[in-house]
């Protein structure tokens, strides 16, 4: 069996170590229809519809973060399982070599009437030959002892590798379940938002868009009026400038949840790729970017920094200067420029 086939066989064994039954995903039952003659529910105002749609898309964004994180962890665990499988193959090959070495020593001992070669020399009647070869016999005994010890160590390592592989396989399966659950949640929330939008006439959809813009303008104006921009004097570093140039070059490309480019992005996929183009690897999700990257005060913000939004850190954009960000907003929208204060700011992080 060649090495590739042995790796494949080892992975198969690893997969068999832990078999998890994925819990079935249950669909929520639809609401009961109104009984005959019951009064119809009051029609929602367009502003109420806007808030409901915005809430659904924000929930979809949070679920997207959960999906992206599970996907990253799945990739890591898959790579670790492959690495462990390769180590198991190497360990088995080493065991085979040690067994062959031990077998050769046993056959030599059998040919000498049950005594190893060194012992034959020690039992000679020639005193000089005895002295010359006593050390060789001792060295042979040590080599045999070392061989057995090495076989024991290798077997113990294989046991550890198999246990670690089983643990990683369990985590892998758990993250696959998380991915499936998050994917369903994302699609459900987006479908619910699109259903609300589909019930609006073309004129109402246009008014809805204007309401969104007005709310963003209101929040941006209130943020700017705090004087937050007056103290911002820092300019982008060369690395930050490259990140900004990449992000702004993506303007007009569609938001697709889970996308990392080059044709479409979600919010954290855009910021990750932008900083990756500048030579800095950062976490995949907005929540992990918020958790792991160094935080800076807004008064010290500079172009290239990342602004994190909402209490659950479910959205992120890149500050480009002059009170603006570039970001991938949500499904149905394209990468665009927006006011940095047009959404609820959680904080600012700096990848550099």
């Amino acid at each position: 069996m060649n090495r590739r086939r042995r790796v494949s066989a080892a992975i198969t064994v690893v997969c068999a170590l832990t078999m998890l039954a994925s819990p079935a995903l249950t669909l929520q039952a639809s609401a009961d229809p109104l009984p005959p003659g019951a009064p119809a529910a009051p029609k929602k105002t367009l502003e109420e519809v806007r808030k409901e749609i915005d809430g659904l898309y924000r929930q979809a964004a949070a679920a997207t973060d959960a999906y992206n994180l599970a996907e990253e962890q799945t990739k890591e665990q898959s790579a670790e399982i492959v690495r462990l499988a390769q180590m198991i193959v190497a360990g088995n090959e080493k065991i085979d070599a040690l067994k062959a070495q031990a077998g050769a020593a046993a056959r030599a001992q059998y040919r000498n009437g049950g005594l190893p070669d060194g012992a034959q020399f020690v039992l000679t009647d020639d005193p000089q030959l005895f002295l010359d070869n006593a050390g060789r016999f001792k060295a042979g005994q040590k080599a045999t002892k070392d061989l057995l010890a090495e076989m024991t160590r290798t077997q113990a390592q294989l046991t550890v590798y198999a246990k670690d592989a089983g643990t990683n396989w369990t985590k892998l399966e758990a993250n696959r379940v998380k991915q499936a659950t998050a994917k369903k949640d994302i699609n459900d929330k987006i479908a619910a938002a699109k259903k609300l939008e589909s019930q609006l006439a073309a004129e109402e959809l246009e008014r809805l868009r204007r309401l969104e813009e007005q709310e963003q303008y209101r929040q941006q104006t209130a943020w700017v009026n705090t004087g937050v921009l007056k103290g911002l004097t820092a300019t982008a570093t060369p690395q930050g400038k490259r990140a900004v140039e990449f992000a702004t070059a993506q303007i007009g490309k569609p938001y697709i949840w889970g996308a990392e480019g080059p044709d479409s992005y979600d919010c954290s996929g855009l910021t990750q790729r932008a900083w990756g183009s500048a030579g800095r690897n950062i976490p995949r999700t907005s929540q992990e970017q918020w958790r792991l990257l160094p935080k800076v005060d807004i008064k010290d913000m500079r172009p290239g920094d990342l602004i994190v939004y909402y209490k659950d850190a479910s959205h992120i954009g890149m500050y480009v200067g002059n009170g603006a960000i570039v970001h991938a907003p949500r499904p149905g929208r394209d990468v665009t420029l927006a006011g940095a204060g047009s959404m609820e700011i959680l904080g600012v992080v700096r990848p550099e």
Side-chain angles (χ1 to χ4, degrees):
M1 181 183 293
N2 61 34
R3 187 174 182 84
R4 180 176 296 178
R5 289 178 61 192
R6 295 188 73 164
V7 170
S8 298
I11 293 176
T12 301
V13 171
V14 167
C15 295
L17 291 173
T18 308
M19 298 299 292
L20 295 180
S22 299
L25 299 177
T26 57
L27 295 175
Q28 290 184 339
S30 58
D32 293 333
L34 292 172
K43 187 176 180 180
K44 297 175 182 176
T45 67
L46 203 56
E47 175 61 13
E48 289 173 331
V49 172
R50 182 196 69 78
K51 289 182 178 179
E52 187 172 350
I53 290 174
D54 183 61
L56 287 167
Y57 280 126
R58 281 182 55 190
Q59 291 173 50
T64 298
D65 246 24
Y67 178 91
N68 290 337
L69 180 60
E71 183 179 45
E72 286 295 292
Q73 291 174 338
T74 295
K75 290 177 182 177
E76 292 172 2
Q77 284 145 7
S78 295
E80 180 65 8
I81 287 171
V82 171
R83 186 184 72 83
L84 289 167
Q86 291 171 337
M87 293 174 71
I88 288 171
V89 169
N92 281 323
E93 290 175 347
K94 185 175 182 181
I95 287 289
D96 289 345
L98 291 171
K99 285 181 177 178
Q101 187 176 345
R107 288 191 296 273
Q109 185 173 339
Y110 177 78
R111 287 194 299 268
N112 292 326
L115 293 175
D117 291 336
Q120 297 287 342
F121 284 112
V122 171
L123 294 176
T124 181
D125 293 332
D126 187 336
Q128 185 60 47
L129 189 59
F130 174 87
L131 292 174
D132 291 342
N133 292 287
R136 186 182 301 175
F137 177 55
K138 185 176 181 180
Q141 286 184 313
K142 184 177 183 304
T144 300
K145 183 178 179 181
D146 290 346
L147 176 62
L148 293 173
E150 184 65 18
M151 289 181 67
T152 300
R153 281 195 299 271
T154 304
Q155 290 283 13
Q157 287 174 343
L158 288 175
T159 301
V160 172
Y161 296 156
K163 182 179 179 181
D164 289 346
T167 300
N168 277 279
W169 185 259
T170 301
K171 292 178 180 178
L172 178 67
E173 290 300 301
N175 277 310
R176 284 173 175 164
V177 172
K178 288 179 184 177
Q179 275 186 278
T181 303
K183 182 176 181 179
K184 180 182 180 299
D185 197 19
I186 295 165
N187 288 330
D188 286 351
K189 295 298 186 295
I190 292 175
K194 287 184 175 179
K195 182 178 179 180
L196 286 172
E197 292 172 334
S198 70
Q199 295 169 350
L200 300 175
E203 181 183 344
E204 290 176 313
L205 283 172
E206 181 57 32
R207 286 175 54 205
L208 181 66
R209 181 179 283 273
R210 287 201 300 270
L211 282 174
E212 291 176 358
E213 292 173 350
Q214 289 168 8
E215 176 60 20
Q216 291 169 4
Y217 178 78
R218 183 192 67 77
Q219 293 190 54
Q220 174 72 1
T221 301
W223 183 68
V224 171
N225 286 343
T226 64
V228 66
L229 297 179
K230 292 180 181 178
L232 295 181
T233 58
T235 57
T237 64
Q239 196 175 26
K241 185 177 180 181
R242 290 197 299 273
V244 169
E245 288 173 348
F246 179 95
T248 53
Q250 312 312 307
I251 290 174
K253 294 182 179 180
Y255 176 107
I256 300 292
W257 71 264
E260 306 172 45
D263 300 321
S264 57
Y265 297 89
D266 62 19
C267 65
S268 56
L270 176 64
T271 53
Q272 185 193 47
R273 290 301 181 195
W275 272 101
S277 73
R280 173 75 168 93
N281 293 323
I282 64 174
R284 172 63 180 90
T285 71
S286 59
Q287 292 172 344
E288 289 295 281
Q289 289 173 16
W290 168 247
R291 187 174 71 88
L292 297 175
L293 296 178
K295 295 174 176 58
V296 297
D297 290 336
I298 289 181
K299 64 182 180 62
D300 299 320
M301 186 168 58
R302 67 191 184 203
D305 287 347
L306 306 179
I307 303 182
V308 185
Y309 295 94
Y310 307 118
K311 291 181 176 63
D312 60 357
S314 58
H315 190 67
I316 196 165
M318 179 179 291
Y319 185 64
V320 296
N322 297 319
I325 60 166
V326 59
H327 72 141
R330 64 166 176 82
R333 300 287 188 265
D334 298 332
V335 176
T336 188
L337 290 173
S342 61
M343 295 168 282
E344 177 191 345
I345 294 177
L346 177 62
V348 181
V349 294
R350 177 167 294 164
E352 293 177 278

